[in-house]
Amino acid sequence: MTKTMERVAADVVVHPDTYKTLLIHAEPGLASSHRVEAAVRLARDLDARLVGLGAEALEPMPASDPFFGYGAGEWVAVMQEQVGKDLAAAEAAFRRDATGVEIEWRVVQDYPHLALTRLARAADLIVVGPRSQVSSTRSADPADVVMSAGRPVLVVPEGRHHLHAQAVVVAWKDTRECRRAVADAMPFLRRAEDVIVHTVSKPEHADQAVFEIDDVVANLKRHDVEARSLVTSVAPEGVTGEIERVAQLNNADLIVCGAYGHSRVREWAFGGVTDDLLHRPTFFVLMSH
């Protein structure tokens, strides 16, 4: 491969021009309908294909009753029938809500986060909601998806139906995950009118923080992104609130950040920001790992 070909190939992988295929898990219920509505508007804005995925697993059989085994077959049959009804209802709702864009429907009986991870091979961007109180057999935890899918994940907050992304905040931390997120978000960043590369730093580290994000801003400008830098300081427990404050002050509705942490059984890093933005977002959040 020539150097020119290597450069072009790297640009295609690292800085995609747009998202051609969006993937969303659809399930029965109002929350899912709102999430699909947001994905449909985004697909329309990007001229992208929207793939709806119906995925649900059987609830684990209760093991507390020693005599339950005698009725296990009937229980499985009942649960199987319910899963079938739920998946049929999910498809009907998706087709009703996803009008006006090119769509595809796929269905599988499995845990939603596992199904989304496997089908990520067919998509450029995965659209999910915050963590739900619904069982993991019927709803996908966004943390499980972002940590394993190998694709950027867009979290749609409750009550938000349209991502404009005219102003975007990049919550910068100098990590592999954040660099990956910036590259994955390039279709949004290039379309935005204002991109704020924001880092929260201790006062004694402010000079180094400015140096780092100036590098990021300069690189983004070489990719035709209207970017500017911002360094603020706040106590560790207030990092999430500070990021959201900056987003609100700049009329941004999208936050881009890396997913920090390497295991679901370990503590999330960066003061719990990953956990806050995945599970309690007030803005759209694009996250990569």
Side-chain angles (χ1 to χ4, degrees):
M1 180 181 290
T2 67
K3 290 184 178 180
T4 300
M5 291 175 65
E6 288 176 352
R7 178 178 58 81
V8 172
D11 285 346
V12 170
V13 173
V14 177
H15 298 303
D17 291 328
T18 189
Y19 307 115
K20 295 295 187 182
T21 307
L22 312 182
L23 171 63
I24 185 168
H25 176 239
E27 55 200 277
L30 185 60
S32 178
S33 289
H34 289 167
R35 189 165 65 247
V36 171
E37 180 183 349
V40 167
R41 288 182 173 181
L42 181 58
R44 187 181 300 120
D45 291 344
L46 297 172
D47 192 24
R49 180 182 183 86
L50 179 61
V51 178
L53 172 65
E56 184 173 334
L58 294 180
E59 292 283 351
M61 289 190 298
S64 58
D65 186 348
F67 299 102
F68 179 76
Y70 293 105
E74 294 181 4
W75 183 88
V76 169
V78 170
M79 291 296 99
Q80 189 73 59
E81 181 180 3
Q82 184 60 53
V83 168
K85 290 180 179 179
D86 288 346
L87 293 176
E91 179 178 6
F94 175 76
R95 294 189 182 279
R96 179 198 66 215
D97 298 331
T99 56
V101 295
E102 182 183 0
I103 64 170
E104 177 183 348
W105 175 255
R106 297 199 185 188
V107 64
V108 63
Q109 184 174 304
D110 200 353
Y111 285 88
H113 73 277
L114 295 177
L116 281 169
T117 297
R118 285 197 303 273
L119 194 52
R121 63 180 180 267
D124 302 310
L125 179 69
I126 302 173
V127 182
V128 299
R131 176 187 288 168
S132 170
Q133 298 302 315
V134 177
S135 167
S136 63
T137 61
R138 290 181 287 154
S139 180
D141 188 325
D144 291 324
V145 178
V146 76
M147 297 296 284
S148 56
R151 291 288 188 271
V153 173
L154 180 68
V155 184
V156 179
E158 293 182 6
R160 298 279 187 123
H161 302 160
H162 193 180
L163 172 60
H164 299 280
Q166 293 179 346
V168 179
V169 170
V170 175
W172 178 258
K173 188 182 183 186
D174 196 16
T175 64
R176 177 191 67 81
E177 293 86 354
C178 195
R179 292 189 284 273
R180 181 73 262 167
V182 171
D184 287 342
M186 196 59 70
F188 287 125
L189 301 182
R190 282 180 173 149
R191 291 162 58 94
E193 297 176 0
D194 186 20
V195 174
I196 303 96
V197 182
H198 172 223
T199 189
V200 179
S201 170
K202 295 180 179 179
E204 61 268 28
H205 298 154
D207 290 344
Q208 177 63 28
V210 170
F211 179 79
E212 290 178 2
I213 63 173
D214 281 351
D215 275 345
V216 178
V217 167
N219 186 55
L220 287 173
K221 287 184 176 179
R222 286 190 286 270
H223 288 276
D224 299 321
V225 175
E226 292 296 325
R228 54 191 174 97
S229 60
L230 177 65
V231 178
T232 62
S233 297
V234 72
E237 62 272 16
V239 172
T240 303
E242 179 67 359
I243 294 170
E244 293 177 336
R245 182 188 71 84
V246 168
Q248 185 173 15
L249 285 176
N250 290 278
N251 296 314
D253 62 351
L254 175 63
I255 295 172
V256 174
C257 63
Y260 312 108
H262 304 283
S263 169
R264 299 290 285 119
V265 299
R266 292 176 59 181
E267 289 291 328
W268 292 107
F270 198 31
V273 172
T274 296
D275 190 49
D276 289 340
L277 293 179
L278 278 175
H279 297 140
R280 293 169 291 279
T282 56
F283 298 83
F284 286 87
V285 177
L286 187 143
M287 194 171 287
S288 296
H289 178 69

